[in-house]
């Protein structure tokens, strides 16, 4: 859609109509998402992380034809609080869907890694990249940033035309202390 809009230079009427239609679609989508979240009452736990990411990879591969690779580092913590696990999974889902829908990639990589100082969750693709500055972030990006903040982390999105997009959630290790659950509590 953004590429189409970029080609419409000098056609203000077309751009206004497309913007109006996009805004309307985003409002409907926001309502549907709100209803779905109310109905689903997410009960995801960290034990669901790897199966959820595998299922996401399979859905994306089927829907957009991209090769989707999931990589979870051995030292990725397995004691995240259920609410933190839900937020993490939802961020990865949104970023991956954005790649599939907007980037037309041939490959998408979903990677969870850890360093002594931070945990990183990355979604990157080899798609067409984004045109920056055309519109404000949509509800999906806003939602990812809000969830990142709840996790004590920061969301960074970088993109270059023709070279894909990378979305990185970085959570400092100090912030993860409040996101962990005692294994006895989760039993």
């Amino acid at each position: 859609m953004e590429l189409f809009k970029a080609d419409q230079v000098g056609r203000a009427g077309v751009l206004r109509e497309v913007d109006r239609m996009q805004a309307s679609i985003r409002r409907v989508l926001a309502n549907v998402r709100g209803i779905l979240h109310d109905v689903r009452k997410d009960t995801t736990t960290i034990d669901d992380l790897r199966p959820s990411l595998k299922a996401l990879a399979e859905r994306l591969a089927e829907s957009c034809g991209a090769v989707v690779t999931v990589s979870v580092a051995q030292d990725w913590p397995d004691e995240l609080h259920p609410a933190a696990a839900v937020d993490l999974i939802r961020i990865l889902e949104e970023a991956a869907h954005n790649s599939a829908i907007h980037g037309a990639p041939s490959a998408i990589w979903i990677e969870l890694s850890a360093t002594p100082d931070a945990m990183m969750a990355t979604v990157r693709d080899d798609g067409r990249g984004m045109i920056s500055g055309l519109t404000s972030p949509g509800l999906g990006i806003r939602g990812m940033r809000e969830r990142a903040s709840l996790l004590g982390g920061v969301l960074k999105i970088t993109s270059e035309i023709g070279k894909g997009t990378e979305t990185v959630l970085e959570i400092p290790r100090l912030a993860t202390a409040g996101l962990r659950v005692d294994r006895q509590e989760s039993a």
Side-chain angles (χ1 to χ4, degrees), residues 14-67:
V14 172
L15 287 174
R16 277 192 302 275
E17 185 62 19
V18 169
D19 284 340
R20 186 191 65 72
M21 290 179 356
Q22 274 184 311
S24 176
I25 291 168
R26 285 184 178 127
R27 282 191 301 275
V28 169
L29 184 58
N31 288 337
V32 169
R33 283 181 177 160
I35 291 167
L36 288 174
H37 282 292
D38 289 345
V39 168
R40 288 175 65 196
K41 303 281 191 237
D42 279 322
T43 58
T44 302
T45 68
I46 195 63
D47 295 329
D48 299 320
L49 180 65
R50 285 173 176 82
S52 292
L53 294 179
K54 182 179 180 211
L56 171 63
E58 291 169 356
R59 286 192 313 269
L60 288 173
E62 186 177 317
S63 68
C64 75
V67 174

Side-chain angles (χ1 to χ4, degrees), residues 76-77 79-81 84 115-120 151-153 170-181:
W76 181 263
E79 66 275 358
L80 290 181
H81 190 279
T115 68
D117 298 324
M119 299 184 328
M120 271 84 61
L151 294 171
E170 184 173 340
I171 307 168
R173 285 281 186 170
L174 292 176
T176 64
L179 303 178
R180 293 185 182 175
V181 64

Side-chain angles (χ1 to χ4, degrees), residues 106-177:
S106 62
I108 299 172
W109 296 270
I110 302 170
E111 302 164 343
L112 301 181
S113 60
T115 68
D117 298 324
M119 299 184 328
M120 271 84 61
T122 304
V123 175
R124 60 187 171 88
D125 67 66
D126 65 352
R128 63 179 146 225
M130 291 190 299
I131 300 171
S132 61
L134 282 182
T135 60
S136 63
L139 293 173
I141 291 175
R142 286 187 213 149
M144 287 191 296
R145 289 192 193 285
E146 289 167 2
R147 288 180 186 272
S149 178
L150 290 172
L151 294 171
V154 176
L155 188 79
K156 298 174 188 170
I157 301 172
T158 57
S159 187
E160 190 174 336
I161 297 298
K163 295 188 179 179
T165 300
E166 180 177 68
T167 303
V168 179
L169 167 63
E170 184 173 340
I171 307 168
R173 285 281 186 170
L174 292 176
T176 64

